Amino acid sequence: MRLVEGIKNKLMNDLSGVEVYFDEPMGQYLYTKLGGPADVFAFPKTIEEVKKVVRASKAHNLPLTLLGNGSNLIIRDGGIRGIVMSLSHLNTITSDGEDIIASSGATIIDVSYYALELSLSGLEFACGIPGTVGGAVFMNAGAYGGEVKDCLHSVTVMDTSGEVYDVEASKLELGYRTSNVAEKNWIVLSARFTLKKVTLMDIKAKMDDLTERRTSKQPLEYPSCGSVFKRPPGHFAGQLIQESGLQGKGIGGAEVSTKHAGFIVNKNHATASDYIAVIEMVQQTVKTKFGITLEREVRIIGEEA
C-alpha cells in the first residue's frame, strides 16, 4: 500500500457507500491470473457512485484506471498506483425496438446472447469475446470479420468532471482495435447497438459455428490475455509467430501457445515480467526473421516490482 494513511482516511470518507478495497491483488481479476496490487479498487453500483470515484480521484490528484473484464490486459508486478475502478456492477441490458442498450459492465458475450433471444443480428461476432461493453467500445473489439463499430449507434460517457452526455459512434474515431475514448478521458457508461431482425435460427447457427471455431483453435485451458498482437497488414500474427518456430517457447511460467501461436499462456505461475518478456521475445524474433513489427493488441499498465 503506497497511499499514506491520511489520504486513505480521506478517501474512505469521500467514497462512503462505495464498495472499496485497499492494496487489492489484481491477478484474481485478470484472465492472465497475474499482476500486482491496486492501491485502491472501487466497485461503484450507480452512476452517482461513479461520480464519487471520479471526483475523489480528481480532488486528491490520484490517477484513475478503468478495469473492464480483465481479458485484454496485463498489470505489471508492481501493481497500479491511485484508484482502479470496475463498472462490473453496472451491467443492465435492455432493448428498444431493434436497438439494444447495455451498461458498461455487462459482458459483450451476454449482450450477444440477449440479441439472439430477440432475433436481432449484428453481434454474433461477439459471442466469444470475453470483455465488457465498455472495454469493447474502448478498443473497438472484433472477431471473425465483425467489430463493434459495425453496429454501435452511440455511447453515454462521463468526463473527468463527472458530467454525463451522449456521443454518436461516428465521433469515437473507431478503427482497428482503437478509439479516441482514452484520448478524450471518457468513461463509457453504456452503449446503444442498432441491430436488424432476422430469424433466430440463422443467428444461432452463426454463433454456434463461431463458438466451435473458437473452442477448437484457442488455448482456453490456460490463463491468457487472448490475442496478443494486432494483425499486421497483409499477414496474420499467429502465422508469423508459428513460422518463426516460437510455439512452446517461453520465459519463466509464460510461453507461446502450442495450440494457437497468437496466444501467450500462463503455463506455470507466470509473473507479469515473464509474460512481457515473452511478448518482447516474439516481437524481436519476428522482426529479425520477417522484417515485420508486431504491434501489441493487449494493454500493459502498472509499475515494475
Side-chain angles (χ1 to χ4, degrees):
M1 219 331 238
R2 316 239 181 136
L3 293 174
V4 297
E5 287 303 308
I7 294 292
K8 178 179 176 181
N9 292 335
K10 290 177 182 178
L11 282 170
M12 290 176 67
N13 182 65
D14 290 349
L15 298 176
S16 175
V18 181
E19 183 182 348
V20 176
Y21 302 92
F22 293 90
D23 205 26
E24 181 74 355
M26 297 303 294
Q28 61 186 311
Y29 300 101
L30 304 183
Y31 273 61
T32 53
K33 301 303 179 186
L34 48 81
D39 287 343
V40 185
F41 197 11
F43 289 85
K45 297 180 177 67
T46 65
I47 300 300
E48 286 306 311
E49 288 189 359
V50 175
K51 288 182 181 180
K52 272 191 177 184
V53 177
V54 170
R55 288 167 178 167
S57 70
K58 192 171 184 179
H60 298 290
N61 197 30
L62 294 172
L64 177 61
T65 303
L66 257 67
L67 179 73
N69 208 30
S71 59
N72 196 246
L73 181 70
I74 295 170
I75 295 177
R76 294 185 177 93
D77 298 314
I80 305 178
R81 305 289 70 80
I83 302 174
V84 176
M85 180 168 63
S86 167
L87 300 184
S88 59
H89 292 319
L90 279 69
N91 56 15
T92 59
I93 308 171
T94 60
S95 62
D96 177 16
E98 294 189 354
D99 284 6
I100 287 179
I101 302 95
S103 295
S104 183
T107 69
I108 195 70
I109 289 176
D110 284 349
V111 180
S112 73
Y113 278 93
Y114 184 86
L116 169 65
E117 292 174 6
L118 298 177
S119 298
L120 293 175
S121 176
L123 279 168
E124 292 91 333
F125 73 89
C127 68
I129 296 176
T132 61
V133 167
V137 171
F138 179 89
M139 68 173 294
N140 185 30
Y144 300 110
E147 52 189 354
V148 164
K149 75 173 184 179
D150 297 337
C151 56
L152 183 66
H153 177 274
S154 60
V155 293
T156 300
V157 301
M158 182 182 294
D159 63 22
T160 54
S161 66
E163 294 300 313
V164 176
Y165 44 90
D166 295 332
V167 179
E168 295 296 316
S170 60
K171 304 295 185 184
L172 297 177
E173 298 178 13
L174 297 167
Y176 178 59
R177 304 298 179 266
T178 186
S179 73
N180 64 2
V181 171
E183 176 190 330
K184 298 288 189 180
N185 290 315
W186 284 331
I187 297 168
V188 175
L189 299 175
S190 65
R192 177 182 283 265
F193 301 96
T194 296
L195 308 175
K196 59 183 178 180
K197 202 84 170 176
V198 301
T199 66
L200 184 145
M201 292 307 298
D202 284 345
I203 300 172
K204 188 176 186 302
K206 185 173 182 180
M207 290 173 69
D208 287 347
D209 174 59
L210 295 180
T211 298
E212 193 281 328
R213 289 163 65 181
R214 177 173 177 267
T215 55
S216 66
K217 294 180 180 179
Q218 295 183 14
L220 304 179
E221 64 273 24
Y222 293 108
S224 80
C225 62
S227 181
V228 178
F229 302 102
K230 296 180 180 180
R231 186 178 65 246
H235 300 275
F236 292 99
Q239 183 179 1
L240 294 171
I241 297 165
Q242 182 177 344
E243 292 177 0
S244 296
L246 291 172
Q247 285 183 281
K249 305 292 185 183
I251 295 171
E255 71 173 44
V256 178
S257 169
T258 56
K259 191 173 183 180
H260 190 310
F263 287 67
I264 295 172
V265 295
N266 181 350
K267 191 75 175 290
N268 186 23
H269 305 291
T271 65
S273 296
D274 293 340
Y275 220 97
I276 294 166
V278 175
I279 290 174
E280 293 173 347
M281 175 189 72
V282 168
Q283 288 174 315
Q284 182 177 6
T285 303
V286 171
K287 178 69 172 177
T288 299
K289 185 173 181 63
F290 296 103
I292 296 171
T293 300
L294 292 180
E295 184 181 352
R296 278 190 290 105
E297 180 173 316
V298 63
R299 295 170 60 220
I300 300 175
I301 63 174
E303 297 184 351
E304 300 289 352

